[in-house]
Structure formats: structure tokens, C-alpha cells
Amino acid sequence: MKEQTLKKKRKRLVFRTVILAVMAGLVIFALISNAKEEKSVIAKGEQAPNFQLQKFGSDGETMALNDLKGKGVMVNFWATYCGPCKDEMPYMEKLYPEFKEKGVEILAVNLDSTELVVQNFIDQYNLSFPVLQDKNGQVMDLYNVSNLPATLFINSEGEIVEKVIGPLTLSKLEGHLQNIVPEE
């Protein structure tokens, strides 16, 4: 009888110790998580953080957002596996020559890791605007982008005018581009 009582007490002790250890672990995890710096959310009205990425098919040539000061800039995050992203590309290509003349640059930030697939896509759609390679997703993280497509419209002062998550129609794209044309 005493032996059974001792076994029960040991089981309770082990159970309570495990529960206490789990609870202590959760408290430590919560403290560490809250102590880390919060991820900033890029929103309308804020200055767009600078980034520099390599252009596809350019033998190492890079492009930085700060290089485009004084211009309106559209930054589109996309990937070849994203159906709605593919649908937007012809609209962007159609409007690019007109808005480039007006002082607006379109940057397509690609999140694929396979250069050949992206280069074939660029060739297939005859894209003339810069396509930049964000292999490690550092710019995607910088801008807190989690869904594709995602598009930011930045005015000539470097301020984010609009952030659109999801696909754009031709007319919506044209309207947003019109809003970031630099004043003369």
C-alpha cells in the first residue's frame, strides 16, 4: 500500500514539474518575443525605405530607390508562380512608355529564385521596365509584404502615396500612376 502511494506521489511530482517547466518556458518565450523590436509597418504617408537590388539580365548592374529621387515610383512585388501577378504585367508594360515620359518609373521586384524562369518570363512578355531580383526577400521584409501581388506608389518626394495588396486592373493602375506624376 505504501509503495502505491509513493508511486502516485512520484507521478504527481513529475507531472507538476513538467507543467511548471512548460509554463516557465512559455513565460520566457513571451518575454523574449515582446522584447524584440516590433516590425515596422510601411504605410501611406511614410517615407519609403531605400533599397538596392540587382537588375535581371544586366551582368551585376544594380538599382536603388534613392537613384530615382524626383520621380514617381511604382514598386510591384511579384513572382512567376503568382497568377494575378502575371495578369498585371501586360498592363504595366502598356502604361510604362507613357508614364516614363511623365517622370514615373516602374520597378518590378521579383521574388523567384530561379533566374532562367524569370528571364524567360521577361522575354515572353517583352518587359521593358526594370525587373529587380529580391532572391532572399530582404526588400519584401523591409516593406512588410506578405501577399502577392503587392504594389506601392511613391511620389517624387519619396513618400508612399498608396499601398495596394492584390491585382490591379488597367484603369486602377493608370489612376494610381497618375497620382504620382511629379509636378513640373
Side-chain angles (χ1 to χ4, degrees), residues 109-144:
V109 178
N110 181 270
L111 303 167
D112 289 293
S113 57
T114 312
E115 291 182 42
L116 182 61
V117 171
V118 178
Q119 193 58 56
N120 288 341
F121 185 91
I122 293 168
D123 295 342
Q124 177 186 350
Y125 285 87
N126 291 319
L127 302 180
S128 58
F129 49 83
V131 178
L132 308 177
Q133 188 174 24
D134 190 15
K135 258 187 198 175
N136 302 322
Q138 70 266 18
V139 176
M140 184 177 166
D141 289 343
L142 178 66
Y143 280 84
N144 201 19

Side-chain angles (χ1 to χ4, degrees), residues 38-103:
E38 288 290 318
K39 198 175 197 182
S40 65
V41 176
I42 305 299
K44 284 171 60 169
E46 293 183 10
Q47 282 296 118
N50 186 40
F51 62 85
Q52 183 171 346
L53 292 172
Q54 187 173 335
K55 288 169 124 182
F56 274 97
S58 66
D59 292 329
E61 185 184 346
T62 62
M63 186 171 219
L65 184 61
N66 283 350
D67 295 342
L68 303 172
K69 281 201 176 187
K71 293 185 176 189
V73 181
M74 173 186 150
V75 180
N76 178 262
F77 293 89
W78 70 286
T80 57
Y81 55 81
C82 166
C85 299
K86 291 178 185 179
D87 297 340
E88 287 180 328
M89 287 296 156
Y91 304 148
M92 290 163 53
E93 183 58 38
K94 180 177 181 168
L95 296 173
Y96 182 61
E98 172 191 344
F99 281 93
K100 184 171 176 68
E101 269 185 34
K102 294 179 179 180

Side-chain angles (χ1 to χ4, degrees), residues 155-170:
N155 66 19
S156 57
E157 288 83 45
E159 183 181 291
I160 296 171
V161 175
E162 192 66 55
K163 181 177 182 179
V164 179
I165 306 299
L168 289 162
T169 63
L170 180 61

